[in-house]
Amino acid sequence: MGEKILLDCDPGHDDALAILLAAGDPRSELLAITTVAGNQTIDKVTHNARAVCTVAGVSGVPIARGAAAPLVREAIIAPDYHGESGLDGPALPEPTVPLDPRAAAELIVETVLAHEPGTVTLVPTGPLTNIALALALEPRLAERVKGVSLMGGSYTRGNRTPAAEFNILADPEAAAAVFAADWPVTMVGLDLTHQALADDAFRGRVRELGTPLAGFVEDLLGFFTTAYARRGFPAPAVHDLCAVAAVLDPGVLTYREAFVTVELAGRWTTGMTVTDFDGLLGRPVNTRVAVSLDRDRLWDMAVAAIARLGRPAPAAG
Ligand code: BDR
Ligand code: CA
């Protein structure tokens, strides 16, 4: 059995790729998918998570709907990057995989408690609302998980404001709770994920697979490329894929340790992940911060997962 992963996401083009890697990599055991309002409304991202699983033939993984709004602030969404559906580009099928009746926070708690302590990694790739709610519901969560590998934040720059990255800005109070909890946190922020630009070479490898799932991914990346081109990027950053990859392959990223906290009261800097590599604040290290990416290794993993999911199931017997 592989790494036990619970993916909390807001699909989202790069969240969709995160789902495919978590479901398709042989080193992964995807236990559950939970959704959170972020890139689009909770209804849309939940529909999208189910649609991605339907296209990819992922069944038997519980999918639960989560928070419709941040803990205390007004919701923000990201149609500028992800379109009106949250997953513009490909034709989305009507989902055939069911929706779990539990709320996301409940499913997170139940899933972690149902497994051996220290075995389940939470991988949040959207705002951290569900994770904070799950922690509030069951404070033992912190000691029970293996860790949290989150896509969010940055140590040099934001993408939604000059200081703040979208997932953290969307629910800074939730993010602050996640960084403050006593559990191993890996921050896969923009400094890392802007190294993961899904360029033509990667897209070509996906296209060559020739499966319907590969066509779906190509349509996703086509839309995403145009959205990023408007901001001067030569190719789109597939942020969320990196947070899953970090769990499955210890060699795909390198890290530095730091104390990280979230600015909640800044005039210009709310949602900033203040990252102290040098102990200037006199606080203990609480985060492993991703700093560099082995891009070829990431693309190899992603292509292999898409290939694996796209294959027809072997004949029984
Ligand atoms: C993050 O925000 C979302 O738009 C992406 O899905 C990713 O999780 C990048 O800032
Ligand atoms: Ca996301």
Side-chain angles (χ1 to χ4, degrees):
M1 276 296 149
E3 291 290 336
K4 294 180 170 45
I5 287 181
L6 189 150
L7 182 62
D8 182 66
C9 57
D10 60 338
H13 296 68
D14 50 328
D15 302 83
L17 289 174
I19 292 174
L20 299 182
L21 183 60
D25 191 289
R27 292 161 289 189
S28 170
E29 186 187 347
L30 180 58
L31 300 178
I33 297 172
T34 51
T35 61
V36 61
N39 287 326
Q40 262 298 351
T41 63
I42 191 64
D43 284 343
K44 290 182 181 178
V45 300
T46 305
H47 182 273
N48 293 347
R50 295 171 64 213
V52 170
C53 288
T54 300
V55 177
V58 176
S59 58
V61 175
I63 303 174
R65 176 188 155 106
L71 295 182
V72 294
R73 300 185 190 235
E74 291 292 310
I76 54 173
I77 55 173
D80 41 343
Y81 284 93
H82 299 278
E84 275 312 307
S85 70
L87 213 48
D88 277 11
L92 296 178
E94 206 37 54
T96 56
V97 293
L99 186 62
D100 193 280
R102 288 168 284 186
E106 257 181 290
L107 179 59
I108 292 169
V109 169
E110 287 181 19
T111 304
V112 171
L113 296 187
H115 290 86
E116 285 295 304
T119 60
V120 179
T121 302
L122 305 181
V123 184
T125 62
L128 289 153
T129 321
N130 291 337
I131 308 297
L133 290 171
L135 256 181
L137 195 62
E138 176 50 86
R140 281 181 302 163
L141 202 61
E143 69 199 42
R144 287 294 298 250
V145 299
K146 181 170 183 184
V148 179
S149 177
L150 66 89
M151 190 285 131
S154 73
Y155 51 88
T156 55
R157 58 186 284 203
N159 61 356
R160 194 63 187 215
T161 72
E165 181 278 330
F166 176 78
N167 288 342
I168 307 297
L169 184 70
D171 196 343
E173 283 73 18
V178 169
F179 282 102
D182 189 13
W183 53 11
V185 175
T186 298
M187 177 171 102
V188 181
L190 295 177
D191 312 284
L192 187 288
T193 64
H194 282 166
Q195 299 169 45
L197 303 185
D199 56 13
D200 286 344
F202 171 63
R203 286 176 64 180
R205 288 179 65 186
V206 173
R207 211 176 300 123
E208 272 172 23
L209 296 173
T211 61
L213 179 60
F216 179 81
V217 172
E218 171 57 11
D219 290 346
L220 280 177
L221 290 175
F223 181 91
F224 216 28
T225 299
T226 306
Y228 269 82
R230 285 197 292 270
R231 286 153 192 90
F233 281 81
V238 284
H239 312 275
D240 298 339
L241 182 70
C242 303
V244 175
V247 180
L248 302 178
D249 180 353
V252 72
L253 308 184
T254 65
Y255 306 92
R256 286 179 66 194
E257 295 196 321
F259 169 72
V260 178
T261 191
V262 178
E263 177 59 76
L264 298 178
R267 181 174 175 209
W268 301 104
T269 54
T270 297
M272 178 180 187
T273 41
V274 177
T275 304
D276 184 6
F277 287 117
D278 302 318
L280 300 175
L281 298 172
R283 303 291 182 109
V285 163
N286 64 354
T287 305
R288 193 169 70 133
V289 179
V291 295
S292 75
L293 167 71
D294 184 335
R295 201 180 292 112
D296 291 343
R297 208 153 156 158
L298 180 74
W299 297 151
D300 287 351
M301 294 170 80
V303 171
I306 295 164
R308 196 156 173 258
L309 290 168
R311 280 206 199 104

PDB file of all heavy atoms in Angstrom, residues 81 152-166 187 189-192 194-195 228 231 233 271-273 275:
ATOM      1  N   TYR A  81      -8.774  32.874 -13.612  1.00  0.00           N
ATOM      2  CA  TYR A  81      -7.848  31.777 -13.937  1.00  0.00           C
ATOM      3  C   TYR A  81      -8.586  30.502 -14.364  1.00  0.00           C
ATOM      4  O   TYR A  81      -8.048  29.698 -15.107  1.00  0.00           O
ATOM      5  CB  TYR A  81      -6.980  31.411 -12.720  1.00  0.00           C
ATOM      6  CG  TYR A  81      -5.858  32.385 -12.439  1.00  0.00           C
ATOM      7  CD1 TYR A  81      -6.034  33.442 -11.550  1.00  0.00           C
ATOM      8  CD2 TYR A  81      -4.622  32.245 -13.067  1.00  0.00           C
ATOM      9  CE1 TYR A  81      -5.009  34.330 -11.275  1.00  0.00           C
ATOM     10  CE2 TYR A  81      -3.591  33.122 -12.809  1.00  0.00           C
ATOM     11  CZ  TYR A  81      -3.782  34.170 -11.911  1.00  0.00           C
ATOM     12  OH  TYR A  81      -2.762  35.046 -11.667  1.00  0.00           O
ATOM     13  N   GLY A 152      -0.055  26.554  -1.001  1.00  0.00           N
ATOM     14  CA  GLY A 152      -0.498  27.873  -0.573  1.00  0.00           C
ATOM     15  C   GLY A 152       0.684  28.693  -0.126  1.00  0.00           C
ATOM     16  O   GLY A 152       1.741  28.156   0.210  1.00  0.00           O
ATOM     17  N   GLY A 153       0.485  29.990  -0.151  1.00  0.00           N
ATOM     18  CA  GLY A 153       1.499  30.897   0.365  1.00  0.00           C
ATOM     19  C   GLY A 153       2.680  31.088  -0.567  1.00  0.00           C
ATOM     20  O   GLY A 153       2.678  30.644  -1.732  1.00  0.00           O
ATOM     21  N   SER A 154       3.679  31.749  -0.035  1.00  0.00           N
ATOM     22  CA  SER A 154       4.924  31.996  -0.755  1.00  0.00           C
ATOM     23  C   SER A 154       5.849  32.692   0.226  1.00  0.00           C
ATOM     24  O   SER A 154       5.398  33.163   1.263  1.00  0.00           O
ATOM     25  CB  SER A 154       4.708  32.920  -1.951  1.00  0.00           C
ATOM     26  OG  SER A 154       4.498  34.238  -1.499  1.00  0.00           O
ATOM     27  N   TYR A 155       7.140  32.723  -0.093  1.00  0.00           N
ATOM     28  CA  TYR A 155       8.027  33.494   0.778  1.00  0.00           C
ATOM     29  C   TYR A 155       8.562  34.745   0.100  1.00  0.00           C
ATOM     30  O   TYR A 155       9.294  35.512   0.702  1.00  0.00           O
ATOM     31  CB  TYR A 155       9.153  32.657   1.383  1.00  0.00           C
ATOM     32  CG  TYR A 155       9.975  31.831   0.424  1.00  0.00           C
ATOM     33  CD1 TYR A 155      11.086  32.363  -0.195  1.00  0.00           C
ATOM     34  CD2 TYR A 155       9.643  30.510   0.179  1.00  0.00           C
ATOM     35  CE1 TYR A 155      11.852  31.584  -1.064  1.00  0.00           C
ATOM     36  CE2 TYR A 155      10.394  29.737  -0.687  1.00  0.00           C
ATOM     37  CZ  TYR A 155      11.491  30.270  -1.309  1.00  0.00           C
ATOM     38  OH  TYR A 155      12.239  29.503  -2.164  1.00  0.00           O
ATOM     39  N   THR A 156       8.202  34.949  -1.172  1.00  0.00           N
ATOM     40  CA  THR A 156       8.694  36.168  -1.820  1.00  0.00           C
ATOM     41  C   THR A 156       7.589  37.053  -2.380  1.00  0.00           C
ATOM     42  O   THR A 156       7.743  38.260  -2.440  1.00  0.00           O
ATOM     43  CB  THR A 156       9.624  35.826  -3.011  1.00  0.00           C
ATOM     44  OG1 THR A 156       8.916  34.954  -3.886  1.00  0.00           O
ATOM     45  CG2 THR A 156      10.911  35.171  -2.536  1.00  0.00           C
ATOM     46  N   ARG A 157       6.486  36.494  -2.807  1.00  0.00           N
ATOM     47  CA  ARG A 157       5.520  37.298  -3.556  1.00  0.00           C
ATOM     48  C   ARG A 157       4.157  36.646  -3.525  1.00  0.00           C
ATOM     49  O   ARG A 157       4.041  35.455  -3.268  1.00  0.00           O
ATOM     50  CB  ARG A 157       5.979  37.412  -5.009  1.00  0.00           C
ATOM     51  CG  ARG A 157       6.131  36.040  -5.644  1.00  0.00           C
ATOM     52  CD  ARG A 157       6.721  36.087  -7.022  1.00  0.00           C
ATOM     53  NE  ARG A 157       5.730  36.529  -7.990  1.00  0.00           N
ATOM     54  CZ  ARG A 157       5.799  36.261  -9.310  1.00  0.00           C
ATOM     55  NH1 ARG A 157       6.819  35.576  -9.786  1.00  0.00           N
ATOM     56  NH2 ARG A 157       4.880  36.660 -10.128  1.00  0.00           N
ATOM     57  N   GLY A 158       3.114  37.437  -3.801  1.00  0.00           N
ATOM     58  CA  GLY A 158       1.781  36.877  -3.904  1.00  0.00           C
ATOM     59  C   GLY A 158       1.347  36.769  -5.347  1.00  0.00           C
ATOM     60  O   GLY A 158       2.079  37.144  -6.261  1.00  0.00           O
ATOM     61  N   ASN A 159       0.136  36.236  -5.546  1.00  0.00           N
ATOM     62  CA  ASN A 159      -0.443  36.272  -6.895  1.00  0.00           C
ATOM     63  C   ASN A 159      -1.826  36.907  -6.893  1.00  0.00           C
ATOM     64  O   ASN A 159      -2.357  37.244  -7.935  1.00  0.00           O
ATOM     65  CB  ASN A 159      -0.488  34.872  -7.532  1.00  0.00           C
ATOM     66  CG  ASN A 159      -1.327  33.878  -6.750  1.00  0.00           C
ATOM     67  OD1 ASN A 159      -1.840  34.174  -5.664  1.00  0.00           O
ATOM     68  ND2 ASN A 159      -1.456  32.670  -7.280  1.00  0.00           N
ATOM     69  N   ARG A 160      -2.383  37.108  -5.692  1.00  0.00           N
ATOM     70  CA  ARG A 160      -3.694  37.751  -5.624  1.00  0.00           C
ATOM     71  C   ARG A 160      -3.553  39.192  -5.144  1.00  0.00           C
ATOM     72  O   ARG A 160      -4.293  40.073  -5.519  1.00  0.00           O
ATOM     73  CB  ARG A 160      -4.580  36.930  -4.693  1.00  0.00           C
ATOM     74  CG  ARG A 160      -6.017  37.246  -4.766  1.00  0.00           C
ATOM     75  CD  ARG A 160      -6.602  36.938  -6.154  1.00  0.00           C
ATOM     76  NE  ARG A 160      -7.950  37.416  -6.224  1.00  0.00           N
ATOM     77  CZ  ARG A 160      -8.930  36.821  -6.888  1.00  0.00           C
ATOM     78  NH1 ARG A 160      -8.704  35.728  -7.577  1.00  0.00           N
ATOM     79  NH2 ARG A 160     -10.145  37.334  -6.893  1.00  0.00           N
ATOM     80  N   THR A 161      -2.590  39.399  -4.277  1.00  0.00           N
ATOM     81  CA  THR A 161      -2.105  40.745  -3.948  1.00  0.00           C
ATOM     82  C   THR A 161      -0.580  40.634  -4.033  1.00  0.00           C
ATOM     83  O   THR A 161      -0.052  39.517  -4.115  1.00  0.00           O
ATOM     84  CB  THR A 161      -2.509  41.189  -2.523  1.00  0.00           C
ATOM     85  OG1 THR A 161      -1.724  40.443  -1.575  1.00  0.00           O
ATOM     86  CG2 THR A 161      -3.997  40.992  -2.247  1.00  0.00           C
ATOM     87  N   PRO A 162       0.127  41.759  -3.972  1.00  0.00           N
ATOM     88  CA  PRO A 162       1.592  41.633  -4.028  1.00  0.00           C
ATOM     89  C   PRO A 162       2.140  40.748  -2.915  1.00  0.00           C
ATOM     90  O   PRO A 162       3.194  40.121  -3.075  1.00  0.00           O
ATOM     91  CB  PRO A 162       2.065  43.084  -3.861  1.00  0.00           C
ATOM     92  CG  PRO A 162       0.931  43.902  -4.393  1.00  0.00           C
ATOM     93  CD  PRO A 162      -0.324  43.157  -4.025  1.00  0.00           C
ATOM     94  N   ALA A 163       1.417  40.647  -1.797  1.00  0.00           N
ATOM     95  CA  ALA A 163       1.927  39.892  -0.656  1.00  0.00           C
ATOM     96  C   ALA A 163       1.297  38.513  -0.498  1.00  0.00           C
ATOM     97  O   ALA A 163       1.891  37.644   0.146  1.00  0.00           O
ATOM     98  CB  ALA A 163       1.693  40.690   0.630  1.00  0.00           C
ATOM     99  N   ALA A 164       0.096  38.318  -1.024  1.00  0.00           N
ATOM    100  CA  ALA A 164      -0.660  37.113  -0.650  1.00  0.00           C
ATOM    101  C   ALA A 164      -0.993  36.216  -1.833  1.00  0.00           C
ATOM    102  O   ALA A 164      -1.367  36.684  -2.916  1.00  0.00           O
ATOM    103  CB  ALA A 164      -1.954  37.509   0.053  1.00  0.00           C
ATOM    104  N   GLU A 165      -0.872  34.938  -1.569  1.00  0.00           N
ATOM    105  CA  GLU A 165      -1.259  33.893  -2.529  1.00  0.00           C
ATOM    106  C   GLU A 165      -2.752  33.608  -2.337  1.00  0.00           C
ATOM    107  O   GLU A 165      -3.286  33.718  -1.231  1.00  0.00           O
ATOM    108  CB  GLU A 165      -0.390  32.651  -2.259  1.00  0.00           C
ATOM    109  CG  GLU A 165      -0.637  31.477  -3.186  1.00  0.00           C
ATOM    110  CD  GLU A 165      -1.827  30.636  -2.783  1.00  0.00           C
ATOM    111  OE1 GLU A 165      -2.114  30.564  -1.576  1.00  0.00           O
ATOM    112  OE2 GLU A 165      -2.471  30.056  -3.669  1.00  0.00           O
ATOM    113  N   PHE A 166      -3.425  33.172  -3.414  1.00  0.00           N
ATOM    114  CA  PHE A 166      -4.891  33.039  -3.399  1.00  0.00           C
ATOM    115  C   PHE A 166      -5.427  32.149  -2.269  1.00  0.00           C
ATOM    116  O   PHE A 166      -6.343  32.544  -1.542  1.00  0.00           O
ATOM    117  CB  PHE A 166      -5.379  32.506  -4.754  1.00  0.00           C
ATOM    118  CG  PHE A 166      -6.861  32.246  -4.787  1.00  0.00           C
ATOM    119  CD1 PHE A 166      -7.764  33.285  -4.932  1.00  0.00           C
ATOM    120  CD2 PHE A 166      -7.354  30.953  -4.639  1.00  0.00           C
ATOM    121  CE1 PHE A 166      -9.136  33.054  -4.932  1.00  0.00           C
ATOM    122  CE2 PHE A 166      -8.723  30.713  -4.639  1.00  0.00           C
ATOM    123  CZ  PHE A 166      -9.622  31.763  -4.785  1.00  0.00           C
ATOM    124  N   MET A 187       4.882  23.495   3.257  1.00  0.00           N
ATOM    125  CA  MET A 187       4.288  24.573   2.458  1.00  0.00           C
ATOM    126  C   MET A 187       4.857  24.518   1.040  1.00  0.00           C
ATOM    127  O   MET A 187       6.047  24.735   0.835  1.00  0.00           O
ATOM    128  CB  MET A 187       4.587  25.941   3.084  1.00  0.00           C
ATOM    129  CG  MET A 187       4.052  27.095   2.259  1.00  0.00           C
ATOM    130  SD  MET A 187       4.175  28.698   3.125  1.00  0.00           S
ATOM    131  CE  MET A 187       5.609  29.411   2.324  1.00  0.00           C
ATOM    132  N   GLY A 189       4.520  26.537  -1.850  1.00  0.00           N
ATOM    133  CA  GLY A 189       4.008  27.861  -2.211  1.00  0.00           C
ATOM    134  C   GLY A 189       4.417  28.264  -3.619  1.00  0.00           C
ATOM    135  O   GLY A 189       5.012  27.487  -4.378  1.00  0.00           O
ATOM    136  N   LEU A 190       4.108  29.511  -3.934  1.00  0.00           N
ATOM    137  CA  LEU A 190       4.314  29.996  -5.301  1.00  0.00           C
ATOM    138  C   LEU A 190       5.773  29.953  -5.746  1.00  0.00           C
ATOM    139  O   LEU A 190       6.053  29.764  -6.933  1.00  0.00           O
ATOM    140  CB  LEU A 190       3.824  31.443  -5.417  1.00  0.00           C
ATOM    141  CG  LEU A 190       2.322  31.673  -5.232  1.00  0.00           C
ATOM    142  CD1 LEU A 190       2.041  33.168  -5.300  1.00  0.00           C
ATOM    143  CD2 LEU A 190       1.519  30.923  -6.288  1.00  0.00           C
ATOM    144  N   ASP A 191       6.703  30.156  -4.797  1.00  0.00           N
ATOM    145  CA  ASP A 191       8.121  30.154  -5.180  1.00  0.00           C
ATOM    146  C   ASP A 191       8.484  28.805  -5.806  1.00  0.00           C
ATOM    147  O   ASP A 191       9.314  28.718  -6.696  1.00  0.00           O
ATOM    148  CB  ASP A 191       9.002  30.408  -3.947  1.00  0.00           C
ATOM    149  CG  ASP A 191       8.489  31.590  -3.161  1.00  0.00           C
ATOM    150  OD1 ASP A 191       8.712  32.717  -3.602  1.00  0.00           O
ATOM    151  OD2 ASP A 191       7.810  31.356  -2.139  1.00  0.00           O
ATOM    152  N   LEU A 192       7.821  27.763  -5.307  1.00  0.00           N
ATOM    153  CA  LEU A 192       8.038  26.423  -5.844  1.00  0.00           C
ATOM    154  C   LEU A 192       7.176  26.193  -7.083  1.00  0.00           C
ATOM    155  O   LEU A 192       7.673  25.748  -8.125  1.00  0.00           O
ATOM    156  CB  LEU A 192       7.706  25.392  -4.753  1.00  0.00           C
ATOM    157  CG  LEU A 192       8.013  23.933  -5.041  1.00  0.00           C
ATOM    158  CD1 LEU A 192       7.116  23.271  -6.041  1.00  0.00           C
ATOM    159  CD2 LEU A 192       9.478  23.747  -5.414  1.00  0.00           C
ATOM    160  N   HIS A 194       5.747  28.091  -9.231  1.00  0.00           N
ATOM    161  CA  HIS A 194       6.054  28.829 -10.463  1.00  0.00           C
ATOM    162  C   HIS A 194       7.224  28.194 -11.216  1.00  0.00           C
ATOM    163  O   HIS A 194       7.549  28.608 -12.329  1.00  0.00           O
ATOM    164  CB  HIS A 194       6.307  30.309 -10.155  1.00  0.00           C
ATOM    165  CG  HIS A 194       5.018  31.069  -9.938  1.00  0.00           C
ATOM    166  ND1 HIS A 194       4.965  32.316  -9.384  1.00  0.00           N
ATOM    167  CD2 HIS A 194       3.724  30.726 -10.199  1.00  0.00           C
ATOM    168  CE1 HIS A 194       3.701  32.717  -9.310  1.00  0.00           C
ATOM    169  NE2 HIS A 194       2.937  31.772  -9.793  1.00  0.00           N
ATOM    170  N   GLN A 195       7.825  27.177 -10.632  1.00  0.00           N
ATOM    171  CA  GLN A 195       8.826  26.369 -11.359  1.00  0.00           C
ATOM    172  C   GLN A 195       8.137  25.238 -12.139  1.00  0.00           C
ATOM    173  O   GLN A 195       8.778  24.547 -12.920  1.00  0.00           O
ATOM    174  CB  GLN A 195       9.844  25.765 -10.383  1.00  0.00           C
ATOM    175  CG  GLN A 195      10.637  26.813  -9.605  1.00  0.00           C
ATOM    176  CD  GLN A 195      11.438  26.194  -8.456  1.00  0.00           C
ATOM    177  OE1 GLN A 195      12.083  25.170  -8.603  1.00  0.00           O
ATOM    178  NE2 GLN A 195      11.401  26.838  -7.299  1.00  0.00           N
ATOM    179  N   TYR A 228      -3.061  32.044 -18.169  1.00  0.00           N
ATOM    180  CA  TYR A 228      -1.751  32.471 -17.660  1.00  0.00           C
ATOM    181  C   TYR A 228      -1.026  33.389 -18.636  1.00  0.00           C
ATOM    182  O   TYR A 228      -0.242  34.255 -18.223  1.00  0.00           O
ATOM    183  CB  TYR A 228      -0.892  31.252 -17.278  1.00  0.00           C
ATOM    184  CG  TYR A 228      -1.079  30.873 -15.830  1.00  0.00           C
ATOM    185  CD1 TYR A 228      -2.151  30.102 -15.433  1.00  0.00           C
ATOM    186  CD2 TYR A 228      -0.221  31.353 -14.852  1.00  0.00           C
ATOM    187  CE1 TYR A 228      -2.359  29.791 -14.091  1.00  0.00           C
ATOM    188  CE2 TYR A 228      -0.408  31.047 -13.508  1.00  0.00           C
ATOM    189  CZ  TYR A 228      -1.478  30.271 -13.136  1.00  0.00           C
ATOM    190  OH  TYR A 228      -1.676  29.984 -11.814  1.00  0.00           O
ATOM    191  N   ARG A 231      -1.323  36.980 -18.099  1.00  0.00           N
ATOM    192  CA  ARG A 231      -0.489  37.547 -17.020  1.00  0.00           C
ATOM    193  C   ARG A 231       1.004  37.439 -17.341  1.00  0.00           C
ATOM    194  O   ARG A 231       1.836  37.550 -16.447  1.00  0.00           O
ATOM    195  CB  ARG A 231      -0.790  36.840 -15.707  1.00  0.00           C
ATOM    196  CG  ARG A 231      -2.116  37.278 -15.171  1.00  0.00           C
ATOM    197  CD  ARG A 231      -2.769  36.233 -14.302  1.00  0.00           C
ATOM    198  NE  ARG A 231      -4.145  36.623 -14.077  1.00  0.00           N
ATOM    199  CZ  ARG A 231      -5.166  36.271 -14.852  1.00  0.00           C
ATOM    200  NH1 ARG A 231      -4.978  35.481 -15.893  1.00  0.00           N
ATOM    201  NH2 ARG A 231      -6.379  36.689 -14.590  1.00  0.00           N
ATOM    202  N   PHE A 233       2.763  34.810 -18.401  1.00  0.00           N
ATOM    203  CA  PHE A 233       3.450  33.520 -18.193  1.00  0.00           C
ATOM    204  C   PHE A 233       3.535  32.767 -19.528  1.00  0.00           C
ATOM    205  O   PHE A 233       2.553  32.689 -20.257  1.00  0.00           O
ATOM    206  CB  PHE A 233       2.675  32.643 -17.201  1.00  0.00           C
ATOM    207  CG  PHE A 233       2.861  32.997 -15.754  1.00  0.00           C
ATOM    208  CD1 PHE A 233       2.147  34.041 -15.187  1.00  0.00           C
ATOM    209  CD2 PHE A 233       3.736  32.272 -14.956  1.00  0.00           C
ATOM    210  CE1 PHE A 233       2.303  34.370 -13.844  1.00  0.00           C
ATOM    211  CE2 PHE A 233       3.900  32.588 -13.616  1.00  0.00           C
ATOM    212  CZ  PHE A 233       3.178  33.637 -13.055  1.00  0.00           C
ATOM    213  N   GLY A 271      -2.973  38.013   4.559  1.00  0.00           N
ATOM    214  CA  GLY A 271      -2.853  36.760   3.811  1.00  0.00           C
ATOM    215  C   GLY A 271      -1.423  36.417   3.431  1.00  0.00           C
ATOM    216  O   GLY A 271      -1.166  35.363   2.854  1.00  0.00           O
ATOM    217  N   MET A 272      -0.491  37.277   3.791  1.00  0.00           N
ATOM    218  CA  MET A 272       0.924  36.987   3.511  1.00  0.00           C
ATOM    219  C   MET A 272       1.400  35.852   4.425  1.00  0.00           C
ATOM    220  O   MET A 272       1.078  35.846   5.610  1.00  0.00           O
ATOM    221  CB  MET A 272       1.751  38.236   3.781  1.00  0.00           C
ATOM    222  CG  MET A 272       3.229  38.081   3.578  1.00  0.00           C
ATOM    223  SD  MET A 272       4.024  39.673   3.939  1.00  0.00           S
ATOM    224  CE  MET A 272       5.691  39.303   3.427  1.00  0.00           C
ATOM    225  N   THR A 273       2.146  34.910   3.876  1.00  0.00           N
ATOM    226  CA  THR A 273       2.772  33.885   4.724  1.00  0.00           C
ATOM    227  C   THR A 273       4.165  34.409   5.105  1.00  0.00           C
ATOM    228  O   THR A 273       5.114  34.320   4.317  1.00  0.00           O
ATOM    229  CB  THR A 273       2.872  32.537   3.987  1.00  0.00           C
ATOM    230  OG1 THR A 273       3.257  32.773   2.638  1.00  0.00           O
ATOM    231  CG2 THR A 273       1.554  31.784   4.015  1.00  0.00           C
ATOM    232  N   THR A 275       7.552  34.275   6.403  1.00  0.00           N
ATOM    233  CA  THR A 275       8.400  33.080   6.459  1.00  0.00           C
ATOM    234  C   THR A 275       9.772  33.460   7.007  1.00  0.00           C
ATOM    235  O   THR A 275      10.518  34.190   6.369  1.00  0.00           O
ATOM    236  CB  THR A 275       8.525  32.475   5.041  1.00  0.00           C
ATOM    237  OG1 THR A 275       7.207  32.220   4.549  1.00  0.00           O
ATOM    238  CG2 THR A 275       9.324  31.180   5.062  1.00  0.00           C
TER     239      THR A 275
END
